[in-house]
Amino acid sequence: MNYSPAFEFAFICGRYGHADLGHKLLIDKGIQVSRKTYVAIGSAQEKGTLRNPFCIETRKRVLREMFAELSEDRLVIDGIDDMSNEQNKSTSWGTYLKKHLIEKFGNFPDLILYGREGSRNNWFEEADMEKTSELIVPRSLIPISGTEIRGMLVINDEISWCKNVPEKIYYLYPELREELMKTPIYQEIYNKILKSGICDMDTFMKVYNNYAEFDRQTKIAQLKQLQK
């Protein structure tokens, strides 16, 4: 019996900096239930920043290696620039995404997948979602974050990193760590960890969270300036 997927076109959007087993689970779900899945890598214009240290080419390569057996007929992986910055969660971002999707594929997806407990359908106008289903894959199923993955690279904990990424990308560990550690802000974080005398994930998260709050506040202030 031929398998007939429930959906024609699934859409997933995230930063994937870099992708891990949680991301793989989400994308696997899209592939299982749709004829074509489009993974849009957000903040594609950014590299070398706190939230997006890896360039778009690296982020795409990691995902493509995870799903190397799939052709572009089944899985499309591409980057999309931020409209302003990632703190913009208004429906204007949804309008921007909708325009991008229709220009690229000629239609709006009939399934959108999210990797967290809360729905993101506030991105889109209610009319846009009338014929579109949503599937939420809770992060608690595989409780790992991109921040933690980067932390494992910073403190050089390859064993923990390998437990949280697909085996297909194990060989990329040296390249990914090298790219991350060439980023000035991650060099700063690493140096602060070394000065503390305790090179572990708890120390990484304490240092990182200070930078993350400053980054968040800076981006919110930028949005307010744009909206004036």
Side-chain angles (χ1 to χ4, degrees), residues 1 18 34 44 49 72 136 147 180 188:
M1 181 182 296
H18 67 76
S34 65
T49 64
E72 288 238 341
I136 298 171
T147 301
L180 183 70
E188 284 183 30

Side-chain angles (χ1 to χ4, degrees), residues 50 192 204-215:
L50 181 72
K192 287 188 177 182
F204 167 80
M205 290 304 300
K206 287 176 184 176
V207 176
Y208 179 90
N209 285 337
N210 289 331
Y211 282 85
E213 180 57 23
F214 178 78
D215 181 76

Side-chain angles (χ1 to χ4, degrees), residues 2 6 15 18 21 23 33 43 47 52 56 58 80 85 106-107 125 132 143-144 167 172 176 187 194 212:
N2 291 329
R15 292 180 302 105
H18 67 76
L21 286 175
H23 296 122
V33 299
S43 302
K47 66 176 180 178
N52 302 291
I56 186 61
T58 296
I80 180 170
N85 71 48
N107 60 296
E125 300 290 348
T132 299
I144 188 66
E167 188 174 351
L172 290 174
L176 292 169
Q187 290 176 356
L194 291 181

Side-chain angles (χ1 to χ4, degrees), residues 87-107:
Q87 291 300 324
N88 188 340
K89 299 176 175 66
S90 68
T91 53
S92 58
W93 166 243
T95 302
Y96 174 76
L97 274 180
K98 179 183 176 182
K99 182 174 182 287
H100 170 80
L101 288 163
I102 292 174
E103 284 179 352
K104 191 173 182 69
F105 297 100
N107 60 296

